[in-house]
Amino acid sequence: MNLRLIGIGAGVLIILSLPLAGAIAGPDGAGQDDGKGGGLFSALGLSDPSRTSPAAPADPARAAGRQQPGPAEQPRTDSRCGPELSSPHGVEAQTCVLVGEGRTWGRSYYRNTSGRALDAVLTMMGPAGRTVQIRCAVGAGDEPGLCETPKEDSVGEPEGYSAVAEFAVPDDEGELLLRSGSNSPAPGDG
């Protein structure tokens, strides 16, 4: 009976070791040091990626001289912003001029903690008297938001552009609560 169990155990070990022997030998049976990426380590996914053979490159697309598609390169956007300002009425804002891909636009980041809806007017002024203006509704919540002009083709130098955002109560009187500019001096600077 013990011999029978030993025989069965030996048979099972032989059957289980055949795939392991094939992995050690590699795909063509020439052994793990043949430089073709075969062997136990590569079969188990443990091969050293820095050791690749010219006969079997790890990246076929690179070997063919093609570029692998990677993450798209994001275009550069430059910004010139004024200081972060706040009013005693619960409005905070910072206004910027942005330049990227040959286009220029204005943007105002804001937060409204006044407890009431407001109107914002963002005006972008450029060289040669060019002006773009947009109205934005500013909700009564205190979540951050932004107001942005359309992107226009750039003309002249970026320093020739400025943006101003004005936040007001939307009624007949239109009480101005805050004015924020892209080239405003910081509070206390003048």
Side-chain angles (χ1 to χ4, degrees), residues 6-100:
I6 293 174
I8 292 173
V12 169
L13 283 176
I14 291 172
I15 291 172
L16 292 176
S17 65
L18 287 176
L20 184 59
I24 292 171
D28 62 358
Q32 70 178 17
D33 290 329
D34 63 352
K36 294 185 180 177
L40 178 61
F41 288 125
S42 65
L44 297 175
L46 301 173
S47 64
D48 182 5
S50 65
R51 280 186 45 194
T52 58
S53 166
D59 185 353
R62 186 173 291 151
R66 294 179 298 208
Q67 276 295 47
Q68 285 284 70
E73 188 173 316
Q74 296 296 319
R76 179 184 169 103
T77 301
D78 293 322
S79 63
R80 192 177 72 254
C81 300
E84 295 179 28
L85 300 175
S86 61
S87 77
H89 305 287
V91 182
E92 302 170 3
Q94 182 178 30
T95 303
C96 306
V97 171
L98 295 104
V99 179

